[in-house]
Amino acid sequence: MDLVITIDGPAGAGKTTTARGVAAALGYRYLDTGALYRGLALAALRAGAGDAGSPAALAAVRAVRMEPYWEGDGMGIRLDGEDVTGAIRAEEVTRLVSPLSAIPAVREILLPVQRKEGEHGRLVADGRDTGSVIFPDARLKVFLTADLEERARRRSLELAASGIVRNHAEVRREIEERDRRDSSRSLAPLIFPEGGVEVDTTGMTIREQIDAIVALARERGA
Ligand code: DC
């Protein structure tokens, strides 16, 4: 059966790597919805809009032509034809994306973009509201968590791998702040989706996370 699988959860739980691995194991397409929000945040930054709520930010996200693309088992982003897959991971983007994603007009732009990818099933989508709002009828809705300390440790390692050395306590504080924002916004907040399954990954390896979700998907007919 051709399933849609959603994987939501707080920052640093390993959603992206896990979702990509699950998609590869099942031969499904992988949709990184955070990357779409990041693409719009980069467009706003490039237009000089440092404040997510400014008219310049909204004008920029409305004007830009954003296209996700797939290569191997990963997903990339193009803005007006330019490949920005690496650029959307910059720290300025990470800071702007959370407040920007709380703006209704921004979520409206991305709703049809995401739904279109799920039309034919065989999709693993990761984000904050993919199970609660975007694909409420998904056959498997995973809520991926890990305790804050572990998520901060993973994020520090990820940053270190790209050559950025940061104070661990500061990374932890930023993750906590982003979770608070993403969970407390009024529109499509990060919540446990109805009918969802929690997978707590504290102490699990990425391989174990992937295998656990693939097993759940198989139980549901994937
Ligand atoms: O998963 P990520 O760190 O790449 O996500 C970046 C931000 O985008 C995150 O702080 C909240 C927002 N986001 C969202 O609001 N809804 C989604 N489905 C995915 C991400």
Side-chain angles (χ1 to χ4, degrees):
M1 196 186 296
D2 297 338
L3 272 61
V4 171
I5 298 170
T6 61
I7 303 183
D8 294 310
K15 295 186 297 296
T16 301
T17 317
T18 306
R20 188 185 302 157
V22 171
L26 297 174
Y28 283 13
R29 175 174 272 194
Y30 153 63
L31 177 67
D32 177 354
T33 66
L36 301 174
Y37 286 93
R38 286 171 178 275
L40 294 186
L42 179 62
L45 275 175
R46 286 184 167 180
D51 174 6
S54 65
L58 204 54
V61 303
R62 287 209 160 110
V64 76
R65 184 168 49 85
M66 180 166 70
E67 298 155 320
Y69 69 90
W70 285 267
E71 214 169 60
D73 60 12
M75 183 187 119
I77 297 282
R78 289 196 193 93
L79 287 186
D80 292 327
E82 181 194 341
D83 192 333
V84 295
T85 308
I88 60 169
R89 302 288 156 194
E91 290 195 77
E92 312 89 84
V93 175
T94 303
R95 275 193 290 275
L96 187 67
V97 66
S98 186
L100 188 80
S101 68
I103 296 172
V106 171
R107 305 201 76 83
E108 260 163 44
I109 291 171
L110 294 182
L111 182 79
V113 177
Q114 298 170 78
R115 289 226 171 117
K116 183 173 149 271
E117 298 304 332
E119 265 169 14
H120 306 294
R122 304 185 68 81
L123 184 78
V124 183
D126 92 70
R128 302 294 186 288
D129 67 341
T130 62
S132 55
V133 176
I134 309 296
F135 301 112
D137 299 328
R139 184 62 66 91
L140 172 61
K141 304 191 221 182
V142 174
F143 196 73
L144 204 67
T145 60
D147 67 31
L148 176 65
E149 187 55 36
E150 170 125 359
R151 291 187 287 116
R153 194 180 57 78
R154 290 179 191 172
R155 185 50 57 96
S156 296
L157 286 173
E158 202 177 276
L159 287 168
S162 47
I164 305 166
V165 179
R166 291 277 314 278
N167 176 286
H168 178 75
E170 215 174 279
V171 171
R172 190 175 57 201
R173 198 178 44 71
E174 281 176 12
I175 286 190
E176 212 172 4
E177 169 61 15
R178 196 143 69 97
D179 287 347
R180 196 190 52 71
R181 270 178 184 282
D182 293 343
S183 308
S184 63
R185 67 182 178 216
S186 54
L187 189 68
L190 169 66
I191 50 162
F192 186 86
E194 204 183 315
V197 183
E198 176 165 354
V199 176
D200 184 340
T201 67
T202 310
M204 277 167 102
T205 64
I206 289 289
R207 189 69 252 165
E208 288 167 339
Q209 300 181 196
I210 294 170
D211 290 347
I213 297 171
V214 168
L216 290 168
R218 296 277 185 226
E219 281 170 18
R220 285 163 175 77

